[in-house]
Amino acid sequence: MRPFSRRRYHRPSDALRDMWRVGREWRRLRTLMRGEAIDAAFRERLMLAVTEVNGCRYCSYAHARAALKAGLSEDDIAAVARGEAAGSPPDQAVALVYARHWAEADAKPDPEARQRVLETYGETKTGAIELTLRMIRVGNLLGNTWDYLLYRVSGGRVGDTRPAGPTA
């Protein structure tokens, strides 16, 4: 059985910590989801960028549908899913690059990268961006953890959807 290829929670305490961080921000979360902090299209672009890094098949599907409802074209969604910020509105490019970095750095971004986001968007909008990133991280890693359990129980036949690489 080849190793499971996607990011996931390794300990229940890690999942609980991330869920607690999102849950304690319920007021800001409500504002975020109403589109008051950042609009729905921007939020969905951020979520797709993080999902592309983490590889959650459930979130990829759900947020592609949500992005369509938020007004993104199929080409826009495909570009973000490929890790490209070029087709997005110019004022969102810094946040989209940061979202990828944030996800790749396992939610521990480089302070200089975070400073650039703060300088570009200010404290309030940066907080909304980071709450969006944390929220999708929880969803991604929970989905991938579920797939890992399926993968383990099935002896590697179910759960990890990446194509098989060459065998040596």
Side-chain angles (χ1 to χ4, degrees), residues 13-64:
S13 61
D14 295 338
L16 292 171
R17 183 193 65 239
D18 273 357
M19 287 187 280
W20 172 252
R21 285 182 175 170
V22 171
R24 73 179 180 197
E25 299 285 346
W26 67 272
R27 282 190 178 104
R28 282 188 13 186
L29 186 60
R30 195 171 59 202
T31 301
L32 176 68
M33 296 311 291
R34 279 190 258 164
E36 295 172 20
I38 56 177
D39 67 52
F42 188 14
R43 185 180 67 236
E44 292 304 327
R45 278 189 183 91
L46 292 168
M47 290 187 169
L48 287 168
V50 172
T51 297
E52 188 272 327
V53 172
N54 291 329
C56 177
R57 63 185 171 141
Y58 309 106
C59 293
S60 180
Y61 176 78
H63 287 285

Side-chain angles (χ1 to χ4, degrees), residues 58-164:
Y58 309 106
C59 293
S60 180
Y61 176 78
H63 287 285
R65 286 182 54 129
L68 286 170
K69 285 183 182 178
L72 275 71
S73 71
E74 289 181 17
D75 289 340
D76 291 338
I77 294 167
V80 175
R82 287 190 307 269
E84 299 171 5
S88 300
D91 64 322
Q92 296 177 10
V94 171
L96 291 170
V97 170
Y98 179 70
R100 275 191 64 82
H101 164 70
W102 189 92
E104 289 169 350
D106 200 26
K108 298 173 189 91
D110 180 75
E112 291 174 9
R114 186 173 191 281
Q115 185 59 38
R116 179 154 186 229
V117 174
L118 276 168
E119 290 168 1
T120 303
Y121 300 104
E123 188 70 42
T124 301
K125 199 166 189 174
T126 296
I129 290 166
E130 289 180 329
L131 182 56
T132 301
L133 303 181
R134 185 153 312 276
M135 184 172 56
I136 193 61
R137 170 189 163 83
V138 169
N140 288 170
L141 298 188
L142 286 174
N144 288 346
T145 301
W146 172 250
D147 271 353
Y148 175 73
L149 294 173
L150 292 175
Y151 180 76
R152 295 292 297 188
V153 167
S154 72
R157 291 183 304 277
V158 180
D160 193 1
T161 58
R162 73 181 169 123

